Amino acid sequence: GQAVLHDVLIPSVFPWTLFDLLLRDLQSPLSACALPGESAAGGAGGVGGPTLAHLAAVSPEEADALQKMLEYDGDDIAEHFGDLGWERIGREITAPDGPGLSQGTKAAFVEAYVHWSLGEKIADRLGPLAEGFRAVLGGSTMIRRMVDARQLERIVCGGEVPVDVSAIRRRAALQGWDDEKDPAYIDDFWAILASLGEHDKRRFLVFVT
C-alpha cells in the first residue's frame, strides 16, 4: 500500500494471486476470486472463490496434482491419489456413496482444497497484509473498483524491477546471531545472494516473506 501511495515500485516477486486476494479483501467487483456476495456494492457478485489457476500461480505442483485428480476417471481414485488431506478439508463434503475421495466428491474436494489453501491456511499471514493494504488504499475508488489483479500488480511493481540486494542488506536486522562466532558468514551469505540470477533472487524474497 505504501509503495503505491509514494509511487515507489517494488520487485515483482509475488504471484498475481496475492493481488487478487487483496482486491477481494477490498470487495472489488473485479476480483476473480471473490465468493458469491463478496463483491462491492453495485458489483456483479463473486464468481465462486479462488480457482486452480490461482493456486497454480502459488504452488504449481499442488495445482497439477489436483488437476490430474479431476481428470482421473478410475473407481480407485482414493487409492490412486491417497488421502490428500481429506480429514482436514473434506469433512463437510457429502456424497451418495459415502464420505471420502471418490468420483462423486472429487470436484467438491478440489474446490474446498483451493479455498482452504488460499484462505484458512494463510489467514494468519495474509490477514495483516490485507489489513495494512486496506488501511492505506481502501479509500481509493480506482483500486477498489477499476483495476483487476494484473493491473494492480503492474501499478505496484511496474515492469521487471531488479532485486536490489544491497538495499535489502542495509535494511536487514540480524536476530539471534553472534557476529563474533563467524564474522565472514554473513558477508558470504550476501555475496552468494547477490550472485544469483534475478529469478532466484525473487524466489528467495518470496521464501523469506
Side-chain angles (χ1 to χ4, degrees):
Q2 292 291 341
V4 176
L5 187 64
H6 296 290
D7 194 24
V8 176
L9 299 179
I10 64 173
S12 180
V13 297
F14 298 107
W16 67 270
T17 300
L18 172 64
F19 298 95
D20 207 28
L21 291 172
L22 292 175
L23 288 177
R24 183 181 73 170
D25 181 74
L26 294 180
Q27 297 186 315
S28 168
L30 297 182
S31 170
C33 66
L35 293 167
E38 279 189 343
S39 67
V47 294
T51 66
L52 268 180
H54 288 91
L55 182 61
V58 177
S59 178
E61 296 81 6
E62 284 183 284
D64 183 62
L66 293 173
Q67 182 61 46
K68 288 178 178 176
M69 187 181 72
L70 286 175
E71 296 170 354
Y72 190 77
D73 59 5
D75 293 332
D76 62 341
I77 186 171
E79 293 78 12
H80 189 81
F81 288 94
D83 177 72
L84 292 177
W86 180 273
E87 288 300 317
R88 178 180 60 246
I89 299 165
R91 294 187 299 269
E92 300 180 3
I93 299 175
T94 59
D97 50 354
L101 183 62
S102 67
Q103 290 297 331
T105 62
K106 66 180 183 181
F109 173 79
V110 168
E111 181 180 17
Y113 186 96
V114 173
H115 287 193
W116 168 80
S117 186
L118 298 176
E120 179 184 342
K121 181 181 178 181
I122 61 172
D124 60 334
R125 288 158 287 167
L126 178 63
L129 177 62
E131 182 179 356
F133 189 81
R134 188 187 330 120
V136 176
L137 294 172
S140 169
T141 300
M142 184 188 75
I143 297 297
R144 287 190 297 109
R145 302 186 59 83
M146 300 172 64
V147 300
D148 61 19
R150 301 289 188 180
Q151 292 166 333
L152 178 58
E153 181 181 11
R154 285 195 289 270
I155 290 171
V156 174
C157 303
E160 290 294 320
V161 180
V163 176
D164 190 341
V165 175
S166 298
I168 296 173
R169 182 175 187 178
R170 287 195 300 270
R171 293 169 174 79
L174 298 178
Q175 295 180 341
W177 176 261
D178 185 355
D179 214 17
E180 295 180 359
K181 290 183 178 180
D182 191 356
Y185 182 92
I186 297 298
D187 290 336
D188 290 341
F189 168 82
W190 289 110
I192 292 172
L193 180 59
S195 70
L196 297 176
E198 287 301 315
H199 176 69
D200 288 330
K201 288 177 184 175
R202 292 189 175 92
R203 291 182 62 191
F204 170 79
L205 287 184
V206 172
F207 172 75
V208 297
T209 303

